[in-house]
Amino acid sequence: MEFWQVIRFYKKYFPPILLLSLAVSLIAGFSATRLPPSFEATQSIFVRREIQSPSESFYSYDGYYSQQAAERFTDTVVGFLKNKDTVRKAAKNSGFGTSPEEASALASALRIKRVAPQLVTVSFSAGRKERAVSLVDNLTKEVGSLSASLNAKGDKFLVLSTIEPTPFVEDKQFVPLVVALSAFMAVFLFSSLILAVFEAIKERSGKR
């Protein structure tokens, strides 16, 4: 489309496109103010195996073995975090419901991701900051205790540690102005594209 065609197009369609974009943006912005608050708490868990031998000749082998053992155990940690019994215990300590259905819903709401060979993140969103932090914190502690208990009779040098002492909290609420501007731009561009295609089809049909 040449420049003069663009000018002609917007002379014809700019008012309805503008009115539609403004209407949708106002609705979207108002809707954003009515959305409930949401806070996401995230904790990072690092899995490591402590090296015991101070000997330099033994260090390279022990270091490699420790890293491999920690990487393999990281999969187990992910399983602990997803386990419904573990989630239920953390939920009980955080004031959430502990019925099988509620524990299942909480387990499904958790976002657990292995971001590196020995690093796992766990996130949870709630309407209150304290509830999100409490569940993530108690779940992390529950998994740490379970890991230590099981490894006490096995590889007791496998250790879990958190990157930060408390979970990181992010305010996930939508900013009404940003939502309104995004809606305005999306509707303006999309409606312009649809009408431009319609005009092109109309011109081709008129030439036949």
Side-chain angles (χ1 to χ4, degrees):
M1 186 179 286
E2 297 182 7
F3 182 73
W4 66 268
Q5 291 176 309
V6 175
I7 297 297
R8 189 182 67 178
F9 172 81
Y10 277 111
K11 278 186 177 180
K12 183 178 181 180
Y13 290 111
F14 183 76
I17 291 176
L18 179 63
L19 288 174
L20 178 62
S21 301
L22 285 173
V24 174
S25 66
L26 287 173
I27 293 171
F30 178 75
S31 299
T33 64
R34 310 295 294 178
L35 292 174
S38 178
F39 298 92
E40 183 179 67
T42 301
Q43 183 60 279
S44 299
I45 303 171
F46 181 67
V47 184
R48 74 182 193 281
R49 185 180 187 277
E50 296 178 340
I51 299 172
Q52 299 304 303
S53 175
S55 171
E56 186 175 351
S57 61
F58 184 70
Y59 179 81
S60 59
Y61 169 78
D62 192 38
Y64 175 79
Y65 169 75
S66 297
Q67 183 179 5
Q68 294 298 307
E71 288 182 12
R72 288 194 296 270
F73 189 66
T74 302
D75 286 329
T76 304
V77 172
V78 172
F80 287 160
L81 290 167
K82 294 180 178 180
N83 183 271
K84 292 179 182 178
D85 287 334
T86 310
V87 174
R88 182 178 56 80
K89 292 178 182 178
K92 182 179 180 180
N93 294 330
S94 303
F96 287 87
T98 57
S99 69
E101 294 77 13
E102 290 170 313
S104 180
L106 285 175
S108 300
L110 289 165
R111 291 198 305 111
I112 298 161
K113 185 177 181 181
R114 184 173 181 173
V115 296
Q118 296 171 240
L119 187 65
V120 179
T121 60
V122 53
S123 302
F124 178 73
S125 297
R128 288 170 51 195
K129 175 181 175 181
E130 297 79 9
R131 287 174 69 81
V133 170
S134 179
L135 182 65
V136 170
D137 191 43
N138 282 314
L139 181 60
T140 303
K141 291 176 180 176
E142 190 65 38
V143 169
S145 298
L146 179 60
S147 172
S149 176
L150 294 176
N151 286 328
K153 298 180 180 180
D155 192 343
K156 62 182 179 180
F157 300 119
L158 282 167
V159 178
L160 307 185
S161 56
T162 56
I163 301 300
E164 297 293 338
T166 57
F168 171 77
V169 181
E170 183 179 2
D171 188 344
K172 304 293 286 188
Q173 295 181 78
F174 292 101
V175 180
L177 180 60
V178 174
V179 173
L181 289 175
S182 299
F184 180 88
M185 293 299 298
V187 173
F188 191 92
L189 293 174
F190 183 73
S191 57
S192 296
L193 177 62
I194 295 298
L195 289 172
V197 171
F198 173 76
E199 278 290 299
I201 294 173
K202 184 178 178 181
E203 287 184 8
R204 289 185 180 182
S205 299
K207 292 178 181 179
R208 292 180 180 177

